[in-house]
Amino acid sequence: MNDLIWGVVGLLLTIMILSYLIGDNVFFRFAAHIFIGLTAGFVAVMLINQILIPYFVTPIVTGGWQQWLWMLIPLGLILLLVMGQWSKFASAGSIPLAYLAGLTAAVAVGGAVFGTLIPQARAVIEAFDPAGWYAVPGRSWLRVMDALVMLVGVIGTLSYFHFGKRRSTDDVVESPDPPRLMRALGKIGQVFIGITLGAVFASVFSSALIALIDRVLFVGEIILKLIGGG
Amino acid sequence: MKKLPAIIVSVAIGLTVLAGYFFQAELSTVLSLIVDWGILLAGVAGLIGLGYLAQYHLTRLMKREKGAFFSLITLLVFLFTLVAGLTLTTQNPFYRNLILNVQVSVEASLLAVLAVTLMFASLKLIRTRGWTPMSVGFLISALISLVLNLGVGMTESGTVLGELVAFWRRLPIVGARGILLGMAIGGLIVGLRILLGMHRPYGEE
Amino acid sequence: MTWTLIGWLVIGIAAVLLAAFWILFRTHDFYAIRYSAAIQSLQCAQSGAIERGRSRQLVLGNQLNGWTYPGLGLHALACLPGFLSQESVVEGGLSVASGDGELVVFARQIARQYYQQGFSLGLHQVGVQTMLPGPTPWSLTAGLLSTHPQNNSGSTALLGYFGAEALLWSEAALGNGGDVFSAGGTLAGQSVLFLNVRDLLIGERVFMMPGKPDANRVSLAGWLTEDVLRLFLIVGLVVGAILKMVGVL
């Protein structure tokens, strides 16, 4: 019985959200606002349970006076952050936000270099390992082609992003041209970017289609249960 | 002069965390403090953000603006979920059912709406972008990938056709790698601009 | 030489180049950035929206921190000052939305500090509305879709970190007769917006965004550093591949 009640709740919300397909309407807004309220409440609970309590309340409750003293710093930062939300004390918020900005920037720099730049560049270079080419006998030409396409494609894609352009002193109308070599490589890059975006689109579309089928099946299943056929 | 303390805080925190990638052992104690406080501040900022959400709906309700009824719904559900989550705990079967049944239903339905929207939007591709190397690459890749995703053309590995299909499946990685490398360079510069005090998103530009 | 050391070298070179170009641009003007039709179009759409008395919407994405696309959240914040203008205050109607509380708090701070330099707080309150329509990617979507018809946005700009759900935001804005511009998003986000958003910056090009059209020297230094680093990376990949083939690496 309990499952059926929750099933009906899910059914109603599903139909209300799917009604958006015929245009924005009150049913969609109703379901959307329930969802917003629910996620907001749930996120608040998670923030309190998983951040505020373990990182702030527990150290104060269980720690000694030294821990207490250390916690004065984040307490001060929190107070400044909260105070900063009032227009009168707006500048107070700049210190805790500067703290967060510095931390986020460092994480971004580390992530960009050690999480993306190095591993991706390494993967391109590793494809040229002759040991890998001859690992499968008779298919080495494919591995070589793979490596070459990877190198040319990545260089082409990077060239497409080139920002600068030739500068002339009488440059009244902005020239759309980057350097010629970059332009040529960029054309190759465009094809590879298109291929990537197309493949990603296909996988997004496939997942979305599976969700659509799942919802249709779900609606059918609950309706069958309600009329006693399931 | 007023902005100097904020710049010092931002640069000091950023450089210390960055140095922590290199001197992990030496800076582990300081790093753990900095990161813990950062998580705490981010959590409080998240709660403040939720406060703004509540404030927005409360204002709409008080001023009886258009959509005030929906704001009332949002506020009631928000308060109920918050109070129930704190009193019953998130492990309570009723609470879990509430979150799962609403969240899964709405998110899956929005994804289903996305499927239909994607279908219609894809018809506009050439009208939006014209015939460019990128749009042609997109079109061909999308069509082939969709066919391959359906399982058509599944061949045994080892055959020439199988190798070609596998080669095609690897092809999108090339552009993805280039895009990710480019975005990493962009991300690196955005981060460094803050670490060098050139850009100050904490205000006082 | 280890890969970690190479990583540090990259960070070091980038920092030195950025600082050097920043200083150089104080007195020299030797670099120009290519024309971007998308950014030009955004500027027209923004002024068009103000002239027609329609509001403008800025979506800063749903994440400040992200490991796969590091810096996208910060990038969205870096773009924000470019959208704050005197017209925003006088005409009103710029709404800044995000699915991350942190981003909303940052955005509010940036807007407030910007307007406090020349305008009263009363005007600021009218000018820019920072909001959190929903705290998760899908609740942000629900919020944007259910409030969009009411805010009559003439120009919507999508920045920062977002996924495929952005197609729904853009379709809603386009259906409302507004213009949409995008400079951000994950690969999934960019792939779906490729279908219906004409003014779309892809990949690293999203980082062309802050500073256009009146580029300051911070933006110029950033762009030039990116160009130089990209060239280094291209050369590094070719040299690395050759060294790998001959067995040195």
Side-chain angles (χ1 to χ4, degrees), chain A residues 6 10 14 33 37-38 41 55 85 94 98-99 102 106 112 120 139 142 146 150 153 160 190 194-196 198-199 206 215, chain B residues 6 10 13-14 34 36-37 52 60 74 77-78 97 105 109 134 138 141 149 158 163 167 170 172 174-177 184 202:
Chain A
W6 285 118
T14 299
H33 280 81
L38 182 111
Y55 288 90
Q85 303 315 306
S94 62
Y99 185 105
Q120 297 296 343
R139 291 280 180 264
L142 251 172
D146 256 352
M150 180 67 78
Y160 170 74
Q190 279 193 48
I195 290 172
T196 301
S206 303
R215 282 300 93 189
Chain B
S10 174
I13 294 295
I34 289 178
D36 282 0
W37 294 347
Y52 285 132
R60 245 181 21 158
T74 302
V77 177
F78 174 50
N97 269 330
S105 298
S109 304
M134 206 185 282
F138 185 99
S141 170
N149 284 355
E163 289 289 353
F167 175 73
R170 285 194 298 272
V174 180
R177 206 153 259 166
Y202 34 90

Side-chain angles (χ1 to χ4, degrees), chain A residues 193 199 217:
Chain A
I193 292 171
L217 290 176

Side-chain angles (χ1 to χ4, degrees), chain C residues 41-60 79-97 111 114-115 124 126-131 144 147-148 150-159 173 176 178-181 209:
Chain C
S41 187
L42 166 73
Q43 280 150 7
C44 292
Q46 293 274 305
S47 20
I50 293 171
E51 280 167 16
R52 292 195 304 270
R54 295 185 69 177
S55 64
R56 294 175 297 146
Q57 190 175 41
L58 197 58
V59 184
L60 299 181
C79 294
L80 179 56
F83 288 85
L84 304 172
S85 57
Q86 294 186 5
E87 286 86 356
S88 304
V89 180
V90 179
E91 303 291 336
L94 173 67
S95 71
V96 182
Y114 184 89
Y115 290 119
H124 154 247
V126 176
V128 182
Q129 186 181 34
T130 44
M131 56 199 280
L144 287 174
T147 55
H148 214 284
Q150 289 156 34
N151 71 24
N152 182 35
S153 176
S155 170
T156 302
L158 312 177
L159 306 165
N176 225 17
D179 293 299
V180 180
F181 166 87
M209 189 42 206

Side-chain angles (χ1 to χ4, degrees), chain A residues 10-183:
Chain A
L11 171 77
L12 290 174
L13 287 171
T14 299
I15 292 171
M16 284 190 229
I17 293 290
L18 288 179
S19 72
Y20 185 76
L21 288 171
I22 52 166
D24 181 45
N25 60 73
V26 284
F27 299 109
F28 172 75
R29 286 193 200 178
F30 185 76
H33 280 81
I34 287 179
F35 179 56
I36 295 165
L38 182 111
T39 47
F42 184 61
V43 168
V45 171
M46 296 310 276
L47 286 174
I48 291 168
N49 282 345
Q50 295 190 355
I51 294 182
L52 219 57
I53 293 177
Y55 288 90
F56 189 66
V57 179
T58 310
I60 289 178
V61 174
T62 58
W65 66 271
Q66 266 184 322
Q67 189 93 6
W68 266 74
L69 281 179
W70 274 114
M71 290 314 287
L72 284 178
I73 299 172
L75 178 67
L77 288 169
I78 290 171
L79 286 176
L80 286 173
L81 186 62
V82 174
M83 259 171 69
Q85 303 315 306
W86 278 274
S87 299
K88 265 186 187 173
F89 310 106
S91 56
S94 62
I95 297 283
L97 287 179
Y99 185 105
L100 278 176
L103 185 59
T104 309
V107 171
V109 168
V113 175
F114 299 110
T116 306
L117 210 59
I118 295 294
Q120 297 296 343
R122 211 175 150 177
V124 176
I125 293 169
E126 292 293 339
F128 283 86
D129 186 358
W133 292 351
Y134 302 112
V136 184
R139 291 280 180 264
S140 50
W141 63 274
L142 251 172
R143 299 284 94 79
V144 176
M145 194 168 79
D146 256 352
L148 281 174
V149 168
M150 180 67 78
L151 186 66
V152 172
V154 168
I155 289 175
T157 307
L158 286 169
S159 304
Y160 170 74
F161 299 139
H162 188 78
F163 292 157
K165 62 171 181 127
R166 282 173 296 158
R167 186 170 183 88
S168 57
T169 44
D170 54 353
D171 202 1
V172 181
V173 179
E174 275 201 280
S175 151
D177 298 342
R180 197 171 293 160
L181 179 66
M182 285 291 179
R183 224 176 338 156

Side-chain angles (χ1 to χ4, degrees), chain C residues 148-219:
Chain C
H148 214 284
Q150 289 156 34
N151 71 24
N152 182 35
S153 176
S155 170
T156 302
L158 312 177
L159 306 165
Y161 186 100
F162 52 78
E165 68 277 5
L167 183 77
L168 296 175
W169 316 343
S170 65
E171 276 292 316
L174 289 168
N176 225 17
D179 293 299
V180 180
F181 166 87
S182 168
T186 62
L187 275 177
Q190 293 184 4
S191 75
V192 297
L193 292 181
F194 190 78
L195 300 169
N196 71 341
V197 176
R198 201 185 300 264
D199 303 321
L200 170 75
L201 297 182
I202 292 169
E204 196 188 345
R205 283 206 179 170
V206 303
F207 293 95
M208 271 177 96
M209 189 42 206
K212 270 267 186 181
D214 306 315
N216 56 21
R217 62 192 176 110
V218 176
S219 305

